[in-house]
Amino acid sequence: MKFKILFLFMLILFSNNIISQTDENINPKGKWFFGAEIGLNTITSLKPNHENSIQGGILAEYYFAQHWSLSGRIKYFKTGVSYNNDPAYRFYGSVISIPVNVNWQYRIMKNFSGKLKLGLALNQEIKSDYCYPTNAKTNYSTLFVNFNPAFGFNYYLNKKTAIYMNYEVYILGNDRVIKDRDMDFVPTSTNNNLFNIGIKYNFGKENKK
C-alpha cells in the first residue's frame, strides 16, 4: 500500500509539468531552493533479505554556478545490519541523517538535467536495538559519518519550481566488528540505498527589467 501511494505521488508531481512547464532556459546561479522529498529506503546490510521502508526529508540547496550547487538535507530513515543470516547477530535502528553534497548538474534537454552528487552524511542514531549475544560488545557510537554518492534528474517547471528524483547510497559507516563462527573478527556497517522524489522552490523575488 505504501508503495502505491508513493507511485501516485510521483505521477502527480510529474503531471504538473504539463501545466507549469516553461520554454525558457533556466539559470539558477545565485539562488537558494528549499524543498521536501520522500521515497524508498532499502537496508542492504541486512542479509540475505534486504528490508524496505519509507523515508523522507527536507532540503536546502544553493547554486553557486549554473551547473554547480551545494545542498544540505535533514532525513529520517531506518537502518540495520546482520551477519550471515545469523539471528544471534542482528542490529536494527533509526537515524536522523544530515547529508551535505556537492552537485554537478548537466543539461540533457531544455530544463531537464542529469545530476551527480558526492558528499558525506552525519548520522545520529535515535533508535538502537541489538540482537547480539549477552557477552558481545554493543556500546558502539551512535554518531557516525557515511559516504554519500548519488545520481538523478532535475526538471524546472518554471524559474522558481523544480521537481527531481535521485538514487543515493549511504555506505562505509559505523562499523560493528563481530566474531564469526571461525573466531575471525569481521567489520560490518549499516548500508542503505535510498530512492527519492521531491520538489523544491525558490522564495526570492524576481528582478524586473
Side-chain angles (χ1 to χ4, degrees):
M1 185 62 181
K2 291 180 180 179
F3 301 117
K4 291 181 179 179
I5 294 174
L6 181 60
F7 182 70
L8 178 61
F9 180 66
M10 290 174 61
L11 289 180
I12 293 173
L13 278 181
F14 282 94
S15 65
N16 283 340
N17 67 15
I18 298 175
I19 300 173
S20 306
Q21 64 185 342
T22 177
D23 289 331
E24 181 181 359
N25 290 329
I26 304 299
N27 182 357
K29 181 180 178 180
K31 294 182 179 180
W32 279 96
F33 284 81
F34 299 90
E37 60 189 36
I38 190 172
L40 304 180
N41 167 39
T42 300
I43 309 174
T44 58
S45 47
L46 286 176
K47 301 175 180 179
N49 298 317
H50 301 164
E51 184 175 299
N52 297 313
S53 61
I54 298 296
Q55 52 80 23
I58 56 176
L59 161 80
E61 183 173 14
Y62 177 73
Y63 283 84
F64 58 88
Q66 182 174 0
H67 301 290
W68 291 89
S69 67
L70 288 172
S71 63
R73 292 172 292 156
I74 301 176
K75 295 186 66 69
Y76 166 83
F77 54 87
K78 295 179 180 179
T79 191
V81 66
S82 62
Y83 178 66
N84 276 357
N85 200 29
D86 188 344
Y89 287 103
R90 185 174 289 264
F91 164 78
Y92 286 103
S94 300
V95 298
I96 297 295
S97 182
I98 304 178
V100 177
N101 300 90
V102 177
N103 313 295
W104 175 51
Q105 193 166 289
Y106 56 94
R107 181 174 297 169
I108 297 175
M109 63 174 65
K110 286 280 186 180
N111 294 309
F112 178 67
S113 302
K115 204 167 192 177
L116 298 177
K117 307 173 65 174
L118 195 62
L120 298 174
L122 178 65
N123 305 280
Q124 174 64 61
E125 287 178 15
I126 58 175
K127 179 181 178 182
S128 305
D129 291 336
Y130 287 89
C131 299
Y132 280 15
T134 54
N135 61 341
K137 177 183 177 182
T138 58
N139 61 334
Y140 296 98
S141 174
T142 60
L143 184 67
F144 60 97
V145 175
N146 279 129
F147 182 52
N148 180 224
F151 69 92
F153 302 95
N154 188 88
Y155 183 78
Y156 290 101
L157 302 178
N158 50 54
K159 289 183 178 180
K160 286 184 167 291
T161 309
I163 54 178
Y164 64 91
M165 63 171 56
N166 60 56
Y167 182 82
E168 62 179 334
V169 297
Y170 293 74
I171 56 175
L172 306 176
N174 192 13
D175 280 344
R176 290 160 170 79
V177 179
I178 59 179
K179 199 174 355 181
D180 70 6
R181 298 183 187 279
D182 297 322
M183 304 302 288
D184 292 326
F185 289 90
V186 180
T188 59
S189 63
T190 55
N191 298 329
N192 292 71
N193 292 357
L194 274 61
F195 173 72
N196 304 296
I197 57 173
I199 185 168
K200 57 186 180 182
Y201 185 80
N202 169 252
F203 291 92
K205 293 181 179 180
E206 292 293 331
N207 295 323
K208 294 183 179 180
K209 297 182 179 180

